[in-house]
């Protein structure tokens, strides 16, 4: 069992020009940095919350993507200015930021 209460993964994938969209060039690095700064400013979270960069997580056209486990909350279209809400509402208060939660397309269509 992990020692972390929550683990946030931020996609920083970077594809070559002309390929499908990727999260890194669309703000992934800035989102990661802002989440890390928010974590750093909330010392009570140290050792409870982790933020890690990752490669492609799949929904490339809807990124930048941030995923939180163990709740399996997927955030889509995240912008750097959304990081403060993720820190305050999800990291600190334990409630996902509903306006950013990704709705997976219905695969039966």
């Amino acid at each position: 069992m992990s020692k972390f209460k929550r683990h946030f993964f931020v996609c920083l994938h970077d594809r070559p020009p002309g390929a499908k969209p990727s999260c890194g060039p669309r703000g992934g690095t800035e989102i990661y940095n802002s989440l890390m700064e928010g974590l750093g400013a909330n010392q009570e979270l140290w050792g409870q919350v982790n933020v890690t960069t990752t490669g492609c997580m799949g929904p490339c056209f809807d990124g930048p993507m941030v995923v939180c486990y163990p709740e399996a909350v997927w955030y889509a279209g995240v912008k750097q200015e959304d990081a403060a809400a993720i820190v305050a509402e999800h990291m600190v208060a334990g409630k996902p930021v509903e306006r950013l939660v990704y709705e997976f397309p219905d695969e039966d269509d």
Side-chain angles (χ1 to χ4, degrees):
M1 179 174 243
S2 174
K3 76 174 197 164
F4 297 108
K5 189 174 183 179
R6 289 186 183 84
H7 197 152
F8 291 81
F9 297 89
V10 182
C11 179
L12 298 187
H13 197 74
D14 189 2
R15 287 190 179 80
K20 67 181 181 175
S22 49
C23 296
R26 293 179 4 195
T29 301
E30 292 80 8
I31 295 161
Y32 170 77
N33 289 340
S34 293
L35 290 175
M36 291 298 290
E37 289 169 0
L39 181 59
N42 290 277
Q43 294 182 8
E44 70 276 9
L45 298 176
W46 294 5
Q48 295 180 32
V49 175
N50 196 12
V51 180
T52 302
T53 62
T54 185
C56 184
M57 294 189 278
C60 307
F61 290 95
D62 299 313
M65 303 299 293
V66 176
V67 179
C68 178
Y69 280 96
E71 296 111 318
V73 173
W74 288 63
Y75 292 121
V78 179
K79 295 178 174 49
Q80 182 178 8
E81 53 268 22
D82 297 321
I86 293 171
V87 171
E89 295 176 36
H90 201 160
M91 286 186 185
V92 174
K95 297 177 186 169
V97 181
E98 289 300 324
R99 67 181 173 80
L100 297 173
V101 172
Y102 184 60
E103 294 292 329
F104 283 88
D106 186 3
E107 296 179 2
D108 294 333
D109 290 345

